[in-house]
Amino acid sequence: MTNFLLAATGGNMLYAISRPEGKGGSTGGSKIIDKQISLGTIIPTSLTLLEGNTADKNEKLLLVGFENDGTNKGNGFAVYTILKQELIDRPRDTIVAASRFVPTLKVYVQGKTDLGAVSYAPNRKLLAVATGEGKEVLFFRNPKELFTGTGEKLSLPIM
């Protein structure tokens, strides 16, 4: 299994760092950014990984929470299924364009805004999402099922 630190900062870029401790295992060395992945019009509000539906432990579903994806359909999650291909199989030190790293599925959350932190409990088959609006926590049952497929879906959380 290959370890990466995934990070998103104030823009539309996702950064993958394979050795966050610094060059050559030293502490205090400069960080190594292996990949910069453009998310296009999506400005991430959260990132989380779900177990993929394959035997390969490096194959994960990447959920990127967003407030707006440029379509004015609201907030939700973009689901990416080619994370292993882009992070592990592609050479280091590359910038991946948004036209290459396209979400397989978008799940729009009806009636809720300001999606924030995400927590996933695989043994309970439950995904929890904090909102800034009213300080609510939204729950989604069977997230692997919800975030499987292609195209677009609308979802109502369970409360």
Side-chain angles (χ1 to χ4, degrees):
M1 185 147 107
T2 302
N3 294 317
F4 277 92
L5 170 66
L6 293 176
T9 58
N12 66 339
M13 295 297 281
L14 177 66
Y15 299 95
I17 303 166
S18 66
R19 294 185 3 200
E21 74 277 356
K23 290 183 180 176
S26 67
T27 56
S30 61
K31 308 302 184 238
I32 298 173
I33 297 177
D34 292 301
K35 305 286 184 326
Q36 294 181 49
I37 301 172
S38 174
L39 299 176
T41 57
I42 294 174
I43 307 295
T45 59
S46 65
L47 297 172
T48 195
L49 295 173
L50 292 179
E51 298 169 352
N53 292 325
T54 68
D56 186 347
K57 294 206 180 285
N58 283 317
E59 197 64 64
K60 304 285 185 191
L61 297 177
L62 172 64
L63 300 184
V64 177
F66 60 83
E67 284 298 312
N68 191 324
D69 61 350
T71 64
N72 295 322
K73 293 182 180 180
N75 63 140
F77 295 95
V79 182
Y80 297 88
T81 57
I82 61 169
L83 191 62
K84 177 184 180 285
Q85 174 186 330
E86 294 303 331
L87 292 185
I88 298 169
D89 298 343
R90 182 178 297 284
R92 294 174 107 176
D93 300 326
T94 57
I95 297 175
V96 180
S99 60
R100 182 171 182 87
F101 195 69
V102 177
T104 305
L105 171 70
K106 289 184 183 176
V107 178
Y108 295 96
V109 180
Q110 290 184 310
K112 301 295 176 186
T113 60
D114 201 17
L115 298 180
V118 175
S119 181
Y120 172 51
N123 293 340
R124 298 279 185 205
K125 297 181 181 176
L126 197 63
L127 182 81
V129 181
T131 69
E133 165 195 293
K135 301 189 183 353
E136 295 177 299
V137 177
L138 309 175
F139 294 96
F140 297 88
R141 283 195 181 120
N142 299 319
K144 281 174 70 174
E145 193 174 299
L146 174 64
F147 297 114
T148 300
T150 58
E152 296 180 353
K153 291 182 183 179
L154 294 175
S155 178
L156 291 171
I158 58 173
M159 302 291 246

